[in-house]
Amino acid sequence: MPSIRSALLACVLALTLAACATAPPEGLQPVTSFELNRYLGRWYEIARLDHSFERGMSDVHATYALRDDGSIRVINRGYDTQRQAWKEAIGRALPIGDSGTASLKVSFFGPFYGGYHVIALDRQNYRWSLVAGPDRDYLWILARDKTLPADVREQLVAQARTLGFAVDKLIWVDQQRPDAD
């Protein structure tokens, strides 16, 4: 039977690992003077680094809405090109730290959260953003429209390269289907 000391150590280890999964990657600073209410709404995925949970998906978009309890409802939708069907995942996000800092922790799987850090943003119009996860294996270029001007794309890719992301591995997301919702 485990001792109380072992159980406490396990809890501390679990909390430490959870904190690491939500912190921004070393050397990256989330946007400050962030206005969550302006960020809410629909964002189209322009480009991403590959991950199993999005592999083979086109027409990916996310919708963020404020809940009564102050958390954020996250609905991710994309078209599974192999199955030829829309897929949807619903999650919950919570601000990390100061509400004026663009860092959230997001969960699609119960108590397990991952970091979502806006590291570049169209501060004037909130039309595009560059988002990092908990490490440099996670990167998204998002926009309010299904396309992004070439000069903005190039600027975001250059910034991501400077920050140490493998931009040569970006997947440019096809956004040709009409929204299904």
Side-chain angles (χ1 to χ4, degrees):
M1 181 172 207
S3 69
I4 292 176
R5 184 177 182 167
S6 296
L8 285 174
L9 183 61
C11 286
V12 168
L13 180 60
L15 289 173
T16 301
L17 290 173
C20 291
T22 60
E26 186 175 330
L28 297 185
Q29 296 298 317
V31 168
T32 56
S33 300
F34 178 68
E35 298 175 49
L36 177 60
N37 285 333
R38 291 183 67 197
Y39 197 81
L40 299 174
R42 167 105 11 121
W43 288 89
Y44 293 95
E45 192 175 89
I46 303 300
R48 67 172 179 262
L49 290 178
D50 190 32
H51 293 285
S52 60
F53 55 87
E54 287 187 288
R55 192 160 293 137
M57 302 284 275
S58 70
D59 303 280
V60 179
H61 61 269
T63 305
Y64 305 96
L66 199 57
R67 294 180 180 204
D68 291 339
D69 66 0
S71 68
I72 301 145
R73 182 175 190 207
V74 181
I75 302 174
N76 284 350
R77 287 183 58 85
Y79 190 80
D80 184 326
T81 57
Q82 185 176 13
R83 293 192 173 117
Q84 296 191 356
W86 288 96
K87 288 177 66 176
E88 180 176 280
I90 299 175
R92 178 177 186 239
L94 298 166
I96 299 173
D98 179 324
S99 64
T101 300
S103 273
L104 303 170
K105 59 181 185 177
V106 181
S107 176
F108 291 94
F109 309 105
F112 303 103
Y113 284 86
Y116 179 101
H117 311 283
V118 179
I119 56 175
L121 178 66
D122 169 15
R123 291 177 183 263
Q124 183 175 356
N125 299 309
Y126 280 60
R127 302 298 305 161
W128 52 260
S129 67
L130 183 64
V131 177
D135 61 43
R136 285 179 172 78
D137 291 332
Y138 296 88
L139 181 72
W140 295 269
I141 296 174
L142 306 177
R144 295 293 191 173
D145 299 307
K146 292 182 177 189
T147 60
L148 199 55
D151 62 325
V152 175
R153 255 191 348 259
E154 291 166 15
Q155 168 197 339
L156 293 172
V157 169
Q159 183 174 356
R161 180 180 294 113
T162 300
L163 293 170
F165 289 93
V167 297
D168 57 315
K169 295 182 179 179
L170 282 171
I171 294 169
W172 296 92
V173 180
D174 187 20
Q175 291 283 356
Q176 307 242 340
R177 287 180 177 77
D179 293 343
D181 58 326

